[in-house]
Amino acid sequence: MADLNKDEIRAMGKAVGLTIEDPELTEVMYSLNALLESLDAINPPGLNDVEPLPIILPPA
Amino acid sequence: MDKSDLPFLSAGELSRLIQANQVSPVEATEAYLDRIDALDFRFNSYLTVMRDQAMADARQAETDLQNGNNRGPLHGVPVAVKDQFWSEGVRSTGGSRILADFVPDEDATVIANLRKGGAVILGKTNMTEFAITGFSHRYSTPRNPWNIDTYTGGSSSGSGAATAAYLCATSLGEDTGGSIRFPATWCGLVGIRPSWGLVSRYGVMRGVWSMDTVGPISRTVEDAAITLGVIAGHDPKDAYSSTEPVPDYRKALGGDLNGLKVGVITEFMESDLVEPEVLQAVSKAIATLGELGATVEEVSIPLSMDAGVASAVLLAVEPALAQQDWTKDRIQDYGHDVRIMLLTGSLLPAQAYYKAQKLRTMLRRQVLESLEKYDVLVLPTSGKGALRLEDDPPITSKETAGRLAFLFTRIFNLASCPAMSLPCGFDDRNMPVGLQIGARPGGEETIFKVAHAYEQATEWHTMRPPGA
């Protein structure tokens, strides 16, 4: 997966109403690319078959 | 006993003296306020000291006791609470400049429960900004009483410093990704993140709604048991809070560990993120559990080392959404690392968030399957002891983007399980090391039983930080 560059980060920001410029732009680029790269590398068998229930509900 | 010695009692010991009418709540509160006045300039543990209200509460607690109105084990005991919780009429900043003047008109339920239980609230403790990261502070940075040139761990940093420095008898923190257990391990304390839903989140500034939990940071296992018992329970203001009755956790304390099965998570024990002295201390602690009668076996949880990445996505996305208006309009009012985190969280694609939640489901299954075979799972809380204080460095590459990979707490946040950190030794710099004990949802009593047996077989809880 190719890293996002500054122009792409800036455009993604614009899409959600954020104006991101340096010095934050560079740091957000590294931070976002690092997280996406790490997440992309995790692909355990069966991942497509699970549902993303985020909690265990306490007893009602 | 001299008044100045009272702060060095455990909350349990102080409670028993108060109940026996041998110490007055007023005397105990004055003793703690005197220490805060004299010493907190070193530790920066409090953001707001509630002096007048604390003294008024102490006098009321004394009157109630004299009238036979005993409210329980925290009656008259001075406690500290994280500034992440609303406190009626008292500013509640969440460690931020943005909420520097925010004064709620009601208490968070955990604070209301402390008051119902007769506790005396000394003040609001320092914390990382909105509890979002482990290090960044917008006011002063709390200092670790074991070495004031090191961090306490966060985000409940002030609660850790205040408890370790004997500036309160027990305290409350909040744990979304490890924010109770992290300061507990680095400050040589007992901290428990309870099962999600056991303690109300009403009036708690949000992090990740499905992982936020309020719990105690204390000096002993008994103190943590007492404190949790007072704050836990159903709250109509939190729709997801449990309706199960709250047990008296003190009844779980005592006895040996015969018949108990302990699973040692191999992925963490074998990780190169664990420093040798930490591994040695934790391994010795695990051997002690065996000597106390537990059956100890190794267990593999294949996704355990991926908990950090999956939780990092959730911990970036949800606060960014919760604070999207401020992120758009007031981004420069945030500190550096929180600013970067919120912007990053604002841009993470929905696919990433969805994948992280799916990984969470898989990890939780693996943890719960292990807990069908074992009563508790054990591992180091952190791979290293407290880091030295330093400026918040800029992110200059992908490799420098993550700063908390050594923190092994998040597996239990993702699995919605209770987990405790308790002291089990020191590293080569004489900084505390923590053993982490996790159990199935609702398994707090089992954790208290194991932790108390270990604590009573060792002397770590009796050691006093040089800075205190």
Side-chain angles (χ1 to χ4, degrees):
Chain A
M1 180 175 142
D3 281 354
L4 297 160
N5 62 36
K6 286 188 184 181
D7 287 339
E8 289 164 334
I9 297 286
R10 197 181 280 115
M12 290 169 72
K14 191 175 176 186
V16 293
L18 293 170
T19 303
I20 309 176
E21 294 298 339
D22 270 328
E24 285 86 6
L25 183 63
T26 302
E27 293 192 67
V28 172
M29 179 182 71
Y30 289 133
S31 171
L32 189 61
N33 283 328
L35 208 45
L36 290 173
E37 183 179 285
S38 300
L39 190 67
D40 197 47
I42 307 170
N43 291 294
L47 183 64
N48 291 332
D49 303 325
V50 298
E51 292 173 344
L53 180 71
I55 54 169
I56 298 171
L57 288 169
Chain B
M1 178 178 283
D2 190 87
K3 191 170 93 173
S4 63
D5 292 329
L6 294 176
F8 297 103
L9 297 170
S10 71
E13 290 166 337
L14 179 60
S15 172
R16 284 186 280 278
L17 290 173
I18 288 173
Q19 306 271 335
N21 206 24
Q22 292 177 24
V23 170
S24 90
V26 172
E27 196 179 13
T29 302
E30 284 173 347
Y32 275 111
L33 290 172
D34 288 348
R35 270 187 73 79
I36 293 167
D37 285 345
L39 295 173
D40 201 36
F41 73 92
R42 271 192 220 159
F43 304 114
N44 302 323
S45 60
Y46 283 89
L47 289 178
T48 304
V49 178
M50 296 159 56
R51 182 175 313 281
D52 294 343
Q53 191 169 340
M55 287 307 301
D57 289 347
R59 284 189 287 271
Q60 184 64 50
E62 189 165 274
T63 303
D64 286 346
L65 277 176
Q66 285 165 354
N67 292 335
N69 181 14
N70 186 336
R71 300 189 192 183
L74 281 188
H75 190 131
V77 174
V79 305
V81 295
K82 189 177 183 180
D83 207 32
Q84 190 176 355
F85 313 139
W86 295 352
S87 46
E88 182 182 353
V90 178
R91 73 170 187 156
S92 303
T93 70
S96 75
R97 292 287 184 192
I98 288 174
L99 293 181
D101 301 316
F102 173 54
V103 179
D105 56 12
E106 63 179 322
D107 281 332
T109 297
V110 287
I111 290 184
N113 286 351
L114 284 175
R115 292 191 189 287
K116 274 185 217 157
V120 174
I121 297 172
L122 293 167
K124 309 291 296 292
T125 53
N126 206 342
M127 57 184 285
T128 60
E129 188 174 17
F130 287 120
I132 286 177
T133 69
F135 298 104
S136 171
H137 292 82
R138 293 298 277 156
Y139 298 91
S140 50
T141 299
R143 289 168 175 260
N144 192 321
W146 289 93
N147 178 342
I148 61 168
D149 292 325
T150 64
Y151 282 111
T152 56
S155 65
S156 309
S157 46
S159 296
T163 310
Y166 301 89
L167 302 181
C168 61
T170 181
S171 66
L172 295 189
E174 189 279 329
D175 190 316
T176 303
S179 290
I180 286 173
R181 291 159 288 156
F182 188 12
T185 186
W186 277 9
C187 294
L189 298 167
V190 177
I192 181 166
R193 171 214 140 84
S195 304
W196 190 82
L198 180 66
V199 179
S200 170
R201 298 163 300 149
Y202 183 77
V204 177
M205 296 175 197
R206 290 291 170 86
V208 176
W209 73 274
S210 60
M211 300 205 294
D212 294 343
T213 50
V214 180
I217 298 178
S218 308
R219 289 192 287 273
T220 69
V221 174
E222 182 197 30
D223 291 357
I226 290 171
T227 309
L228 181 60
V230 171
I231 62 170
H234 180 64
D235 176 16
K237 295 175 179 172
D238 180 351
Y240 292 127
S241 64
S242 172
T243 55
E244 290 285 290
V246 179
D248 183 347
Y249 296 113
R250 291 173 297 180
K251 290 182 178 166
L253 311 181
D256 59 33
L257 301 182
N258 286 323
L260 229 114
K261 295 193 75 174
V262 174
V264 184
I265 305 178
T266 53
E267 284 81 1
F268 291 111
M269 298 297 283
E270 293 169 358
S271 166
D272 57 11
L273 294 168
V274 181
E275 292 182 345
E277 296 79 12
V278 172
L279 183 63
Q280 191 176 15
V282 171
S283 299
K284 201 171 171 190
I286 292 168
T288 302
L289 298 181
E291 291 161 13
L292 290 166
T295 302
V296 179
E297 294 176 1
E298 293 187 340
V299 58
S300 172
I301 298 181
L303 278 173
S304 55
M305 294 306 288
D306 296 319
V309 172
S311 62
V313 172
L314 309 182
L315 287 160
V317 169
E318 294 204 23
L321 274 170
Q323 302 192 26
Q324 60 182 332
D325 290 342
W326 292 334
T327 302
K328 282 177 185 167
D329 302 334
R330 302 186 63 176
I331 192 67
Q332 295 304 327
D333 289 341
Y334 290 97
H336 164 256
D337 65 347
V338 173
R339 196 159 65 233
I340 301 304
M341 175 83 83
L342 290 173
L343 291 171
T344 302
S346 301
L347 303 189
L348 272 164
Q351 290 93 329
Y353 181 80
Y354 197 73
K355 180 175 181 180
Q357 291 287 22
K358 289 169 72 115
L359 286 168
R360 180 181 182 184
T361 301
M362 294 189 77
L363 175 65
R364 192 174 63 227
R365 276 187 199 162
Q366 292 179 4
V367 170
L368 294 180
E369 280 169 16
S370 297
L371 286 167
E372 285 175 12
K373 184 173 180 187
Y374 300 101
D375 296 293
V376 293
L377 298 172
V378 295
L379 63 157
T381 310
S382 163
K384 57 176 71 176
L387 295 176
R388 290 188 73 79
L389 292 167
E390 60 177 357
D391 291 336
D392 179 12
I395 298 170
T396 55
S397 67
K398 284 193 289 185
E399 288 69 35
T400 57
R403 296 176 69 193
L404 290 171
F406 57 82
L407 189 61
F408 296 156
T409 50
R410 293 179 177 178
I411 179 172
F412 296 115
N413 297 80
L414 292 174
S416 284
C417 291
M420 173 187 283
S421 180
L422 80 162
C424 71
F426 294 89
D427 68 8
D428 57 336
R429 297 170 296 128
N430 289 320
M431 297 306 293
V433 173
L435 171 71
Q436 192 175 187
I437 305 171
R440 61 185 68 99
E444 282 80 5
E445 288 167 289
T446 309
I447 291 176
F448 281 124
K449 180 179 179 61
V450 174
H452 188 257
Y454 174 76
E455 179 190 67
Q456 296 305 304
T458 58
E459 295 186 337
W460 309 120
H461 65 292
T462 66
M463 296 181 182
R464 191 181 292 186

